[in-house]
Amino acid sequence: VCNPTPLSLWCATVCVCRENLGTHPRTSPLSLSQFAQGTEEGERGVGRLRRVLRAYADFDEELGYCQALNFVAGTLLLYLPEHEAFWHLVTLMQRADAPLRGLYLPDMAFTKVVLGTLDELMKTHLPTLASHFEKEGVVSAMFATGWYMTLFSRDFPLSLTARVLDCFYAEGTFKVVHRVVLALLQSVEGSLLKGDLGDINTIVRGLPEKIEAGEVEVDDVMLRAFKFELKAAHITEIASKLPVED
Protein backbone atom coordinates (compact mmCIF):
# COMPACT_ATOMS: atom_id res chain seq x y z
CA VAL A 1 0.00 0.00 0.00
CA CYS A 2 1.35 3.43 -0.91
CA ASN A 3 1.50 6.09 1.76
CA PRO A 4 -0.99 8.80 0.74
CA THR A 5 0.00 12.45 0.90
CA PRO A 6 -1.27 14.53 3.83
CA LEU A 7 -3.42 16.57 1.41
CA SER A 8 -5.15 13.51 0.00
CA LEU A 9 -5.66 12.18 3.51
CA TRP A 10 -7.28 15.42 4.59
CA CYS A 11 -9.51 15.65 1.50
CA ALA A 12 -10.71 12.07 1.98
CA THR A 13 -11.50 12.67 5.63
CA VAL A 14 -13.36 15.94 5.01
CA CYS A 15 -15.56 14.32 2.40
CA VAL A 16 -16.30 11.12 4.26
CA CYS A 17 -16.81 12.71 7.68
CA ARG A 18 -19.24 15.28 6.36
CA GLU A 19 -21.13 12.65 4.40
CA ASN A 20 -21.53 10.39 7.45
CA LEU A 21 -21.72 12.99 10.20
CA GLY A 22 -25.38 12.43 10.86
CA THR A 23 -25.12 8.64 11.14
CA HIS A 24 -24.26 8.57 14.86
CA PRO A 25 -24.40 12.22 15.91
CA ARG A 26 -24.38 11.75 19.68
CA THR A 27 -22.27 8.64 20.29
CA SER A 28 -18.57 8.05 20.94
CA PRO A 29 -17.04 5.51 18.54
CA LEU A 30 -16.24 2.44 20.62
CA SER A 31 -19.77 2.25 22.07
CA LEU A 32 -21.31 1.75 18.62
CA SER A 33 -22.56 -1.53 17.16
CA GLN A 34 -19.48 -1.63 14.88
CA PHE A 35 -17.38 -2.55 17.94
CA ALA A 36 -19.98 -4.25 20.16
CA GLN A 37 -18.90 -7.47 21.84
CA GLY A 38 -20.89 -10.61 21.19
CA THR A 39 -22.09 -9.65 17.71
CA GLU A 40 -20.71 -10.64 14.32
CA GLU A 41 -20.47 -7.01 13.25
CA GLY A 42 -18.75 -6.05 16.47
CA GLU A 43 -16.22 -8.89 16.25
CA ARG A 44 -15.31 -7.79 12.72
CA GLY A 45 -14.93 -4.22 13.91
CA VAL A 46 -12.75 -5.17 16.88
CA GLY A 47 -10.61 -7.28 14.56
CA ARG A 48 -10.10 -4.33 12.21
CA LEU A 49 -9.25 -2.09 15.15
CA ARG A 50 -6.70 -4.55 16.52
CA ARG A 51 -5.01 -4.89 13.13
CA VAL A 52 -4.71 -1.14 12.71
CA LEU A 53 -3.28 -0.70 16.21
CA ARG A 54 -0.85 -3.59 15.78
CA ALA A 55 0.26 -2.20 12.43
CA TYR A 56 0.93 1.18 14.01
CA ALA A 57 2.84 -0.43 16.89
CA ASP A 58 5.04 -2.20 14.30
CA PHE A 59 5.41 1.02 12.31
CA ASP A 60 6.43 3.05 15.39
CA GLU A 61 8.43 0.56 17.44
CA GLU A 62 9.77 3.24 19.79
CA LEU A 63 6.29 4.20 20.95
CA GLY A 64 4.55 0.88 20.43
CA TYR A 65 0.92 0.46 21.51
CA CYS A 66 -0.81 3.14 23.57
CA GLN A 67 -4.28 2.41 24.88
CA ALA A 68 -5.86 5.79 24.15
CA LEU A 69 -5.08 5.35 20.45
CA ASN A 70 -7.97 2.91 20.14
CA PHE A 71 -10.43 5.81 20.31
CA VAL A 72 -8.72 7.71 17.48
CA ALA A 73 -8.30 4.59 15.35
CA GLY A 74 -11.87 3.52 16.07
CA THR A 75 -13.18 6.87 14.88
CA LEU A 76 -11.22 6.60 11.64
CA LEU A 77 -12.48 3.05 11.04
CA LEU A 78 -16.09 4.24 11.13
CA TYR A 79 -15.44 6.16 7.93
CA LEU A 80 -12.50 4.51 6.18
CA PRO A 81 -11.23 1.12 5.01
CA GLU A 82 -8.59 -0.49 7.19
CA HIS A 83 -5.49 0.47 5.22
CA GLU A 84 -6.64 4.07 4.82
CA ALA A 85 -7.47 4.32 8.52
CA PHE A 86 -3.93 3.13 9.29
CA TRP A 87 -2.29 5.80 7.10
CA HIS A 88 -4.59 8.46 8.52
CA LEU A 89 -3.46 7.41 11.99
CA VAL A 90 0.17 7.63 10.89
CA THR A 91 -0.43 11.14 9.57
CA LEU A 92 -2.15 12.27 12.77
CA MET A 93 0.64 10.85 14.91
CA GLN A 94 3.66 11.82 12.80
CA ARG A 95 2.83 15.12 11.10
CA ALA A 96 5.55 17.73 11.55
CA ASP A 97 3.54 20.71 12.82
CA ALA A 98 1.29 19.03 15.39
CA PRO A 99 2.34 15.44 16.03
CA LEU A 100 -0.25 13.71 18.18
CA ARG A 101 2.53 11.25 18.99
CA GLY A 102 4.19 13.77 21.31
CA LEU A 103 1.24 13.53 23.70
CA TYR A 104 1.87 9.80 24.14
CA LEU A 105 5.57 9.94 25.00
CA PRO A 106 6.42 8.73 28.52
CA ASP A 107 8.12 11.94 29.66
CA MET A 108 4.89 13.94 29.02
CA ALA A 109 7.06 16.97 28.11
CA PHE A 110 5.08 17.81 24.97
CA THR A 111 1.79 17.26 26.80
CA LYS A 112 2.84 19.75 29.47
CA VAL A 113 3.63 22.33 26.77
CA VAL A 114 0.29 21.85 25.01
CA LEU A 115 -1.73 22.06 28.24
CA GLY A 116 0.40 24.93 29.54
CA THR A 117 -0.37 26.78 26.33
CA LEU A 118 -4.08 26.23 26.93
CA ASP A 119 -3.76 27.66 30.45
CA GLU A 120 -2.12 30.78 29.02
CA LEU A 121 -4.75 31.12 26.27
CA MET A 122 -7.45 31.00 28.93
CA LYS A 123 -5.86 34.03 30.63
CA THR A 124 -6.27 35.98 27.39
CA HIS A 125 -9.61 34.72 26.11
CA LEU A 126 -11.46 33.66 29.28
CA PRO A 127 -9.72 35.84 31.88
CA THR A 128 -12.45 35.75 34.54
CA LEU A 129 -12.69 31.98 34.35
CA ALA A 130 -8.90 31.64 34.34
CA SER A 131 -8.69 33.69 37.54
CA HIS A 132 -11.39 31.57 39.15
CA PHE A 133 -9.62 28.37 38.13
CA GLU A 134 -6.37 29.70 39.63
CA LYS A 135 -8.15 30.60 42.86
CA GLU A 136 -9.65 27.10 43.10
CA GLY A 137 -6.43 25.33 42.13
CA VAL A 138 -7.74 24.06 38.79
CA VAL A 139 -5.34 23.47 35.89
CA SER A 140 -6.26 22.14 32.47
CA ALA A 141 -4.31 18.90 33.00
CA MET A 142 -7.05 17.87 35.44
CA PHE A 143 -9.64 17.52 32.68
CA ALA A 144 -8.22 18.19 29.21
CA THR A 145 -5.40 15.66 28.79
CA GLY A 146 -7.67 12.98 27.34
CA TRP A 147 -9.41 15.53 25.13
CA TYR A 148 -6.13 16.38 23.42
CA MET A 149 -4.73 12.84 23.29
CA THR A 150 -7.83 11.45 21.59
CA LEU A 151 -9.00 14.62 19.78
CA PHE A 152 -12.17 14.39 21.91
CA SER A 153 -13.00 10.90 20.59
CA ARG A 154 -12.83 9.15 23.98
CA ASP A 155 -15.52 11.22 25.68
CA PHE A 156 -17.45 13.26 23.15
CA PRO A 157 -19.95 12.35 20.41
CA LEU A 158 -18.93 11.93 16.79
CA SER A 159 -20.76 15.09 15.82
CA LEU A 160 -17.99 17.00 17.60
CA THR A 161 -15.06 14.64 17.02
CA ALA A 162 -15.53 14.46 13.25
CA ARG A 163 -15.54 18.24 12.93
CA VAL A 164 -12.41 18.55 15.03
CA LEU A 165 -10.72 15.96 12.80
CA ASP A 166 -11.72 17.94 9.70
CA CYS A 167 -10.17 21.10 11.09
CA PHE A 168 -7.12 19.36 12.54
CA TYR A 169 -6.27 17.93 9.13
CA ALA A 170 -6.91 21.28 7.42
CA GLU A 171 -4.99 23.50 9.86
CA GLY A 172 -2.27 21.07 10.83
CA THR A 173 -1.88 22.45 14.37
CA PHE A 174 -3.48 22.13 17.79
CA LYS A 175 -5.12 25.51 17.28
CA VAL A 176 -8.54 24.00 16.60
CA VAL A 177 -8.29 21.82 19.72
CA HIS A 178 -7.44 24.89 21.81
CA ARG A 179 -10.40 26.71 20.27
CA VAL A 180 -12.86 23.91 20.98
CA VAL A 181 -11.70 23.53 24.58
CA LEU A 182 -12.11 27.26 25.12
CA ALA A 183 -15.57 27.10 23.52
CA LEU A 184 -16.64 24.15 25.68
CA LEU A 185 -15.56 25.96 28.83
CA GLN A 186 -17.23 29.17 27.70
CA SER A 187 -20.50 27.29 27.10
CA VAL A 188 -20.71 26.48 30.83
CA GLU A 189 -18.71 29.43 32.15
CA GLY A 190 -21.57 30.75 34.28
CA SER A 191 -21.85 27.48 36.20
CA LEU A 192 -18.07 27.11 36.50
CA LEU A 193 -17.70 30.57 38.03
CA LYS A 194 -20.12 29.61 40.81
CA GLY A 195 -18.34 26.38 41.70
CA ASP A 196 -15.47 25.24 43.86
CA LEU A 197 -12.88 22.64 42.83
CA GLY A 198 -15.27 19.72 43.20
CA ASP A 199 -18.09 21.48 41.37
CA ILE A 200 -15.79 22.50 38.52
CA ASN A 201 -14.56 18.94 38.09
CA THR A 202 -18.14 17.65 37.97
CA ILE A 203 -19.31 20.31 35.50
CA VAL A 204 -16.38 19.88 33.12
CA ARG A 205 -16.53 16.10 33.17
CA GLY A 206 -20.27 16.34 32.53
CA LEU A 207 -19.84 18.26 29.28
CA PRO A 208 -20.08 15.15 27.05
CA GLU A 209 -23.39 14.25 28.67
CA LYS A 210 -24.66 17.80 28.13
CA ILE A 211 -23.88 17.43 24.43
CA GLU A 212 -25.50 14.00 24.34
CA ALA A 213 -28.63 15.49 25.91
CA GLY A 214 -28.63 18.49 23.57
CA GLU A 215 -28.14 20.94 26.45
CA VAL A 216 -24.95 22.11 24.73
CA GLU A 217 -25.22 22.11 20.94
CA VAL A 218 -22.24 21.10 18.82
CA ASP A 219 -23.06 23.80 16.25
CA ASP A 220 -22.91 26.39 19.02
CA VAL A 221 -19.59 25.02 20.29
CA MET A 222 -18.02 25.24 16.83
CA LEU A 223 -19.38 28.76 16.25
CA ARG A 224 -17.95 29.85 19.59
CA ALA A 225 -14.65 28.12 18.81
CA PHE A 226 -13.98 30.08 15.66
CA LYS A 227 -14.78 33.39 17.30
CA PHE A 228 -11.59 33.01 19.33
CA GLU A 229 -8.90 34.77 17.34
CA LEU A 230 -5.95 32.46 17.80
CA LYS A 231 -2.80 32.87 15.76
CA ALA A 232 -0.34 30.02 15.21
CA ALA A 233 2.58 32.40 15.74
CA HIS A 234 1.18 33.51 19.09
CA ILE A 235 0.64 29.91 20.19
CA THR A 236 4.23 29.09 19.23
CA GLU A 237 5.45 32.10 21.18
CA ILE A 238 3.51 31.05 24.28
CA ALA A 239 4.91 27.53 24.07
CA SER A 240 8.47 28.80 23.71
CA LYS A 241 8.19 30.80 26.93
CA LEU A 242 6.86 28.00 29.08
CA PRO A 243 9.33 26.61 31.63
CA VAL A 244 11.05 23.39 30.62
CA GLU A 245 11.10 20.76 33.36
CA ASP A 246 14.02 18.33 33.65
Side-chain angles (χ1 to χ4, degrees):
V1 178
C2 295
N3 188 353
T5 65
L7 179 60
S8 67
L9 289 173
W10 168 69
C11 289
T13 299
V14 168
C15 293
V16 78
C17 284
R18 286 179 181 164
E19 181 179 352
N20 294 284
L21 191 58
T23 307
H24 302 287
R26 297 187 183 279
T27 314
S28 56
L30 298 189
S31 63
L32 298 176
S33 60
Q34 286 91 329
F35 302 105
Q37 294 183 352
T39 68
E40 185 176 344
E41 180 187 20
E43 291 301 320
R44 286 198 303 268
V46 170
R48 294 170 66 219
L49 179 60
R50 285 174 177 164
R51 287 191 292 273
V52 169
L53 293 172
R54 285 172 180 167
Y56 185 80
D58 289 340
F59 179 86
D60 188 351
E61 292 183 358
E62 181 186 6
L63 184 64
Y65 169 71
C66 296
Q67 187 173 2
L69 272 182
N70 59 352
F71 295 99
V72 180
T75 301
L76 295 173
L77 282 167
L78 292 176
Y79 303 116
L80 299 165
E82 235 172 275
H83 69 284
E84 291 183 23
F86 166 73
W87 286 117
H88 275 65
L89 185 61
V90 169
T91 299
L92 286 171
M93 292 292 283
Q94 304 279 341
R95 66 191 308 162
D97 293 334
L100 201 61
R101 182 181 188 273
L103 298 177
Y104 289 86
L105 295 176
D107 63 8
M108 300 292 286
F110 185 66
T111 305
K112 291 173 184 175
V113 169
V114 171
L115 295 174
T117 300
L118 172 62
D119 288 330
E120 293 301 313
L121 290 171
M122 280 190 64
K123 293 176 184 178
T124 300
H125 298 280
L126 298 173
T128 305
L129 186 59
S131 296
H132 184 62
F133 273 18
E134 185 174 0
K135 174 187 172 184
E136 296 297 330
V138 177
V139 293
S140 60
M142 293 178 177
F143 58 84
T145 305
W147 297 356
Y148 280 84
M149 289 181 72
T150 67
L151 299 177
F152 301 99
S153 62
R154 183 190 67 182
D155 303 303
F156 287 86
L158 289 171
S159 52
L160 179 67
T161 303
R163 296 185 198 193
V164 172
L165 272 172
D166 273 2
C167 299
F168 192 73
Y169 275 116
E171 293 184 349
T173 72
F174 282 101
K175 183 168 62 173
V176 65
V177 187
H178 292 318
R179 278 177 162 154
V180 171
V181 174
L182 292 172
L184 286 167
L185 295 175
Q186 187 185 58
S187 70
V188 290
E189 184 174 13
S191 298
L192 291 170
L193 289 172
K194 298 174 184 176
D196 59 15
L197 176 61
D199 296 327
I200 291 168
N201 183 62
T202 300
I203 293 166
V204 171
R205 293 186 182 279
L207 273 165
E209 286 72 26
K210 284 186 174 293
I211 291 179
E212 294 273 1
E215 296 174 29
V216 174
E217 294 289 342
V218 171
D219 286 347
D220 179 64
V221 170
M222 297 308 293
L223 285 171
R224 288 174 182 269
F226 283 91
K227 289 180 180 178
F228 291 110
E229 296 184 3
L230 305 189
K231 302 294 183 183
H234 182 221
I235 292 172
T236 301
E237 182 183 1
I238 291 172
S240 69
K241 293 179 178 179
L242 292 172
V244 178
E245 297 183 14
D246 296 328

